[in-house]
Amino acid sequence: IGILSILLQQEKVTAPWLAEKFEVSRRTINRDIEDLCRAGIPIVTSRGTGGGICLMEGYGVDRALLSSSEMQAILAGLQGLDSVSGTNRYRQLMEKLSAKASDGLFLKESGMLAGDQHLLIDLSSWYKDSLTPKMELIHDAIRKLQKIEFMYYSPKGEELRQIEPYYLIFYWSSWYIWGWCELRSDWRMFKLNRMSNLRCTEEKFDRRQAPLPDLSADNIFPAKFQAKALFDSECKWRLIEEFGADSFTEQPDGKLLFSFEFSDRENLLTWILTFGEKAELLEPKDLRCELKETAAAVVRKYEKV
């Protein structure tokens, strides 16, 4: 299906290119091409300079080539995109793909996938009303190769940024834009919820060879120090949800001894404070002292209450 999708979008490709794309051997690609031919796909191959693999001119994909489970997976992905789209293009595509379905894959009345579908995806958030217009503007700017400009808010303050947009990314339960930042002269990723006054400029840009961002936890959240804290038993559900069941050990008195590596002191402090009197930070010692001073400052604010 992946090879067929590429052949439908590109005029001609080579077997070595496909092998690199799908991280398989050239022999595997050749076998897959033979399988597609046996399935009735009119594929044309040519050798020599300028040769390659392509579909016969005028060929369109037959929906019957996709099994019910494959179609359901495609529809589930499209439904996820539809949940954050400000247009009906994904909904229209879902209707086109499922219009001839005999097993009721799509219900127009509810907008949900039916049949034996068990995967429902919603990529929206609490900020959907403000998020959707941003995504549509960025999507259009990427397609037209136009720069975007916005005010960006971070722990270091606020700055006006202008970037060349390349990828919209959904990660860590949030949406981001990855692009070339003119202010930093480097690739940067920006969280859409921290952007305001977003606009598409009239300035065009030439597409660069854009690297994909390294989204590994080790790169984004490098461990800098080990934290230990003691939590009341009723906090167990939060520790499991946010850090996993292996992040703590239950003590004889029912308390939970939590241990985890953190990359940011401020995040640890603010996180501990959300538990109020139900948590006690044990280590690092200097951060424990800082937390004590913060708590004292908070108490002073409410002394007259």
Side-chain angles (χ1 to χ4, degrees), residues 170-184:
F170 183 77
Y171 210 69
W172 308 304
S173 302
S174 297
W175 283 96
Y176 299 82
I177 177 66
W178 172 256
W180 177 263
C181 176
E182 294 192 342
L183 183 64
R184 299 288 184 258

Side-chain angles (χ1 to χ4, degrees), residues 159-179:
E159 288 180 311
L160 184 66
R161 299 292 186 102
Q162 188 174 99
I163 70 167
E164 300 171 6
Y166 283 85
Y167 295 111
L168 273 167
I169 300 172
F170 183 77
Y171 210 69
W172 308 304
S173 302
S174 297
W175 283 96
Y176 299 82
I177 177 66
W178 172 256

Side-chain angles (χ1 to χ4, degrees), residues 155 194 225 227 231 238 242-243 262-277 279 281 287-288 290-292 294-295 298:
R194 293 184 182 177
F225 60 90
F231 290 86
R238 271 194 64 182
E242 298 175 26
F243 291 93
F262 281 79
S263 59
D264 186 87
R265 295 167 60 90
E266 185 67 26
N267 283 342
L268 173 59
L269 274 177
T270 54
W271 179 68
I272 286 287
L273 286 170
T274 63
F275 290 89
E277 77 283 359
L281 182 63
L287 209 54
R288 178 182 168 89
E290 188 175 337
L291 185 60
K292 178 182 176 181
T294 300
V298 172

Side-chain angles (χ1 to χ4, degrees), residues 3 26 85 101 116 130 146 148 156 171 173 175 218 231 234 252 263 280 285 287:
I3 292 175
R26 183 172 176 177
S85 174
D116 62 350
S130 60
Q146 285 184 292
I148 60 174
K156 297 180 179 179
Y171 210 69
S173 302
W175 283 96
D218 290 340
F231 290 86
E234 61 223 69
S263 59
E280 179 186 358
K285 296 295 184 182
L287 209 54

